[in-house]
Amino acid sequence: MRVFPHQSVAAFARGYPETPHVLRHRLDADARLSLDRLAQLGEDLPAASVEYNRGDLPIGIDGKPGSNGMTIGETIRHIATSNSWAVLKNIEQVPAYEALLMALLEELRPSIEAATGKMLTPQGFIFTSSPNAVTPYHFDPEHNILLQVKGTKVMTQFPAGDTRYAPDTVHESYHLGGPRELPWDESLRSGGLAIALEPGEAVYVPVMAPHFVNNGSEPSLSLSITWRSEWSYAEAGARCFNGLVRKLGITPAPPRRWPARNTAKSLAYRAWRKAFGTPG
């Protein structure tokens, strides 16, 4: 049985790649997504593929908030009471989860590749969150669909590419190795789109669209399926180029959003990196 109904695939094709929208899915009883299996997965993954923090965080934070005092296994097994959120990154490192990720993406591949070309760098992320936990304001470089499996949450998204919500300098810093957390001011809230998710629903998040997440009153489990495109890589390369140019005292024009290609700046950055190495 298909996980994404045909109506949702059609809605995705209409909205991709720049319009956030809600989809339906049937991913609700997969044994790979039980808490025990996920706790074991967290313990088996390399440390760089695991992140977990306290759940009682503000929307805006300055850097990483630090440990919750537990192991990743304890955090997930007791997510109902651990006051935490946890993410297992790059689950495709494990064959069983790679199969899950790729099966989902194959249902969407025709729509993806019709719009943005070859689907590149598929990756999966699993989120577990305690009741009322907050995932702070940030952005991500991938095309992303977040599937809600258990519990409820509200994701508040902001327009991608709008400097009111993510200044160009923050984009450039991130792409040159800085944090993805964004500066928050409560005056920004009115420009956001609050999307409520229940089990069986999913939301599409455009590349670099700022967002934060408020979990509901029960523990939450979500699966994020992501991919890149030549367009998203070119946008990232252009941001890197602009960051280098800005260090010379020049204020560069920002990259343009889809369907602009940003090819020249991206190629210029690749040439610079080949000659001088990745900026440190």
Side-chain angles (χ1 to χ4, degrees), residues 21-61:
H21 53 277
V22 174
L23 309 169
R24 298 291 304 176
H25 70 84
R26 302 188 183 100
L27 186 67
D28 58 356
D30 194 296
R32 291 167 289 192
L33 299 178
S34 70
L35 287 183
D36 283 341
R37 288 281 295 274
L38 295 178
Q40 187 62 56
L41 176 62
E43 292 167 344
D44 292 342
L45 286 171
S49 297
V50 173
E51 182 181 350
Y52 54 110
N53 298 292
R54 300 190 323 275
D56 54 346
L57 297 173
I59 293 173
I61 60 173

Side-chain angles (χ1 to χ4, degrees), residues 60-263:
I61 60 173
D62 183 10
K64 297 298 182 185
S67 170
N68 63 5
M70 294 176 282
T71 67
I72 182 62
E74 292 169 341
T75 298
I76 294 176
R77 290 187 179 96
H78 303 290
I79 197 65
T81 57
S82 62
N83 183 27
S84 302
W85 61 264
V87 54
L88 306 180
K89 305 176 183 180
N90 300 114
I91 60 172
E92 68 279 358
Q93 297 172 84
V94 178
Y97 293 91
E98 179 186 30
L100 173 62
L101 170 67
M102 296 311 299
L104 293 169
L105 287 176
E106 284 301 321
E107 294 188 16
L108 301 172
R109 184 187 293 273
S111 299
I112 292 170
E113 296 191 342
T116 56
K118 186 176 181 180
M119 184 177 69
L120 305 173
T121 323
Q123 295 176 311
F125 304 82
I126 295 176
F127 298 87
T128 57
S129 306
S130 297
N132 305 310
V134 173
T135 303
Y137 190 50
H138 69 286
F139 50 23
D140 302 299
E142 306 93 356
H143 306 278
N144 176 18
I145 296 176
L146 181 74
L147 293 85
Q148 188 68 15
V149 180
K150 295 181 181 178
T152 63
K153 62 179 51 172
V154 176
M155 175 187 285
T156 303
Q157 282 195 47
F158 297 82
D162 190 322
T163 57
R164 289 176 293 177
Y165 306 107
D168 289 327
T169 52
V170 177
H171 279 278
E172 292 158 15
S173 172
Y174 166 72
H175 284 295
L176 289 171
R180 70 180 64 203
E181 288 78 23
L182 294 167
W184 173 254
D185 186 283
E186 193 61 30
S187 64
L188 300 175
R189 187 185 292 268
S190 62
L193 173 65
I195 302 172
L197 296 175
E198 297 183 352
E201 294 182 322
V203 60
Y204 172 68
V205 186
V207 171
M208 303 305 282
H211 58 281
F212 64 86
V213 181
N214 296 96
N215 201 45
S217 59
E218 299 178 355
S220 170
L221 172 63
S222 308
L223 169 63
S224 181
I225 60 173
T226 77
W227 63 97
R228 300 294 296 268
S229 62
E230 288 288 356
W231 168 69
S232 76
Y233 277 123
E235 193 264 358
R239 291 289 187 186
C240 291
F241 176 86
N242 281 0
L244 296 176
V245 168
R246 197 178 297 276
K247 292 178 180 180
L248 300 176
I250 300 170
T251 302
R256 294 174 295 164
R257 293 293 297 183
W258 175 263
R261 298 295 180 179
N262 300 301
T263 303

